[in-house]
Amino acid sequence: MHRGVNRGACFAEDGDRTFYLGLLQEHLPKSACSLHAYVLMTNHVHLLLTPDDDHAAAGLMKAVAQKYAQRCNKRWKRTGPFWETPFKSSLIDSHTYALNCHRYIEENPLRAGMVRHPFEYPWSSFRANAMGHPSPLLTQHRSVESLGGDPVERRIAYRALFDTPQAEKEVEVFREALKSSLAAGSPEFIEHVAIASGRRATRRNRWTAPA
């Protein structure tokens, strides 16, 4: 997740959003990242990525953020930082958590009261993932592939995930993970990530990598 500095607007018009998506399309292959879901909100962006190496996601975010900020600073005649630095990220665990993360991202406009259904919001991956609209940006995540044996079956199952709004406790998992730069998943996964990385597992507990 990347947010505008001081929670300021990142996108003034649709042309800004189109430009941002164009930067993603340009830099995803250069950065060795696959994009599975996204949403462009007024003052922040959410992306669900699979990077090919430890530095791929950071490289993508840096390249896209710099080029987009340069364009907006010039057009809007502004100076100073454009984005909050650094972007916030969280590792996501398992089939269930990956699908929940798709929902968390694509239901952002619904939770913000901007639309009545994610389909109504054009600046997210929902129409591609749920309806099959072509998108040069997206690579289908294996959790989505597991929903059905053919594309039509998968899209029907994917749309069914959005029949009711996501439970608040599921939303809080990702909010808390992003806020604290923690992993989102089962307790076992969170502990494994903490031990492997030498970073804390929860806001209260700390784990260290074995010597």
Side-chain angles (χ1 to χ4, degrees):
M1 187 267 284
H2 217 179
R3 191 183 298 278
V5 69
N6 294 325
R7 297 181 178 264
C10 305
F11 306 104
E13 58 186 20
D14 287 352
D16 295 333
R17 297 176 177 87
T18 300
F19 183 74
Y20 186 92
L21 294 179
L23 290 175
L24 280 178
Q25 184 177 351
E26 175 187 352
H27 287 282
L28 280 165
K30 292 180 181 180
S31 303
C33 287
S34 299
L35 177 66
H36 311 298
Y38 69 86
V39 66
L40 310 186
M41 301 296 285
T42 303
N43 67 355
H44 67 280
V45 174
H46 282 284
L47 307 175
L48 177 59
L49 298 166
T50 297
D52 282 355
D53 61 57
D54 291 347
H55 306 290
L60 171 70
M61 298 302 291
K62 180 179 179 180
V64 171
Q66 285 183 342
K67 287 191 175 182
Y68 185 78
Q70 288 168 0
R71 175 182 185 266
C72 289
N73 283 343
K74 183 177 180 180
R75 288 182 65 245
W76 301 352
K77 296 180 172 57
R78 67 181 301 279
T79 58
F82 187 88
W83 301 96
E84 282 186 352
T85 304
F87 66 93
K88 296 181 182 297
S89 63
S90 173
L91 291 173
I92 305 299
D93 174 30
S94 81
H95 169 80
T96 302
Y97 282 87
L99 288 175
N100 283 346
C101 191
H102 278 77
R103 293 186 64 196
Y104 172 74
I105 289 172
E106 293 174 355
E107 287 189 10
N108 256 255
L110 178 67
R111 288 192 296 272
M114 302 167 72
V115 295
R116 293 171 296 178
H117 191 278
F119 176 77
E120 298 174 3
Y121 193 73
W123 302 106
S124 85
S125 51
F126 179 83
R127 295 180 182 182
N129 284 325
M131 310 298 293
H133 290 199
S135 173
L137 297 170
L138 296 177
T139 300
Q140 197 163 79
H141 191 270
R142 62 180 179 273
S143 64
V144 177
E145 292 178 343
S146 71
L147 291 175
D150 63 77
V152 173
E153 186 180 353
R154 286 195 292 272
R155 290 195 292 269
I156 292 172
Y158 191 86
R159 290 196 296 272
L161 298 173
F162 294 80
D163 284 347
T164 58
Q166 190 169 27
E168 185 62 23
K169 65 180 181 179
E170 293 179 1
V171 172
E172 282 301 313
V173 166
F174 297 106
R175 285 178 176 165
E176 183 64 22
L178 285 170
K179 183 191 305 181
S180 305
S181 296
L182 303 174
S186 67
E188 294 78 13
F189 175 79
I190 293 172
E191 179 178 345
H192 172 75
V193 170
I195 292 173
S197 65
R199 298 173 66 183
R200 58 198 170 94
T202 68
R203 299 189 71 178
R204 293 184 177 180
N205 300 319
R206 292 182 178 273
W207 298 83
T208 57

